[in-house]
């Protein structure tokens, strides 16, 4: 079993001045099969309405990343959180916290609260995230869909509000974050 990492930092990413460590993260993500995170182009920085990103840093290395953006196309005053969320495999499950609420993941346990606060401070009335609803998309997102439905939904932390809808050319489920 891998040890818990306590010495980490969450920092907002300046998408207009990307650190070189982000390029290293993308290279590692590609070698680990993370399709949506394998390059700066795939991350799609600046392509969504008011997108903002956070990274987890461990020993001067980016080990996880997640973004959020305004998403009025789905619903007025809506924000989509946990966009392009990824953690390098060797750092998964190593954040301090309860596994029952996926808090041992740096993104779900530590970046998500920043996203919720940011979105609310920018007028969000509805907070959502999406997961692939079939295996045609990113396999990690499909796995997340299963975990969310079996762990977070039964606890009342999220609610499934749309199934199998096409968002950005991919069939996805839409989850509302209950705050």
């Amino acid at each position: 079993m891998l040890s818990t990492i306590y010495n980490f930092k969450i920092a907002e990413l300046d998408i207009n001045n990307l650190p070189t460590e982000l390029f290293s993260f993308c290279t590692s993500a590609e070698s680990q099969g993370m399709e949506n995170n394998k390059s700066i182009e795939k991350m799609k920085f600046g392509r969504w309405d008011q997108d903002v990103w956070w990274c987890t840093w461990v020993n001067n290395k980016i080990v996880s990343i997640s973004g959020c953006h305004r998403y009025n196309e789905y619903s007025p005053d809506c924000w989509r959180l946990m966009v392009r969320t990824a953690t390098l495999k060797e750092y998964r499950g190593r954040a301090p916290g309860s596994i029952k609420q996926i808090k041992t993941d740096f993104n779900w346990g530590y970046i998500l609260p920043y996203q919720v606060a940011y979105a609310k401070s920018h007028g969000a009335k509805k907070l959502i995230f999406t997961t692939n609803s079939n295996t045609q998309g990113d396999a990690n997102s499909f796995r997340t869909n299963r975990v969310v439905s079996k762990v977070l939904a039964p606890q009342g932390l999220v609610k499934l509000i749309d199934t199998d809808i096409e968002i950005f050319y991919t069939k996805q489920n839409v989850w509302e974050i209950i705050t």
Side-chain angles (χ1 to χ4, degrees), residues 12-86:
E12 187 174 330
L13 182 66
D14 178 354
I15 63 172
N16 297 309
N17 187 23
L18 298 175
T20 56
E21 293 86 355
L22 185 59
F23 295 89
S24 298
F25 174 85
C26 289
T27 299
S28 295
E30 181 176 25
S31 72
Q32 295 180 10
M34 292 182 245
E35 185 64 28
N36 289 336
N37 307 88
K38 70 180 187 179
S39 69
I40 300 304
E41 293 75 27
K42 285 283 193 172
M43 296 290 291
K44 300 184 178 182
F45 298 118
R47 292 198 192 153
W48 291 300
D49 186 16
Q50 295 186 357
D51 63 324
V52 62
W53 300 77
W54 286 267
C55 298
T56 304
W57 293 76
V58 175
N59 297 326
N60 298 315
K61 177 180 180 177
I62 294 175
V63 303
S64 72
I65 189 167
S66 184
C68 68
H69 64 89
R70 182 180 305 278
Y71 194 35
N72 288 334
E73 295 85 355
Y74 182 77
S75 176
D77 301 318
C78 180
W79 278 72
R80 182 172 169 237
L81 313 183
M82 304 304 284
V83 173
R84 294 293 198 249
T85 297

Side-chain angles (χ1 to χ4, degrees), residues 97-162:
S98 168
I99 195 167
K100 292 180 181 179
Q101 294 180 344
I102 316 180
K103 300 289 188 186
T104 57
D105 179 82
F106 291 109
N107 293 304
W108 289 94
Y110 293 89
I111 290 178
L112 180 60
Y114 283 97
Q115 293 180 349
V116 168
Y118 185 89
K120 284 184 171 184
S121 75
H122 286 79
K125 302 281 189 267
K126 180 178 276 196
L127 303 172
I128 65 167
F129 65 93
T130 61
T131 56
N132 290 4
S133 56
N134 64 38
T135 57
Q136 272 36 82
D138 181 77
N140 290 317
S141 181
F142 182 64
R143 186 181 73 240
T144 300
N145 184 70
R146 289 193 319 264
V147 170
V148 167
S149 65
K150 292 178 193 266
V151 177
L152 299 181
Q155 294 180 60
L157 301 171
V158 300
K159 176 174 69 171
L160 184 63
I161 57 174
D162 257 323

Side-chain angles (χ1 to χ4, degrees), residues 71 74 130 133 162-167 170-174:
Y71 194 35
Y74 182 77
T130 61
S133 56
D162 257 323
T163 57
D164 294 327
I165 66 168
E166 189 170 305
I167 298 176
T170 303
K171 225 180 229 192
Q172 300 190 49
N173 287 338
V174 179

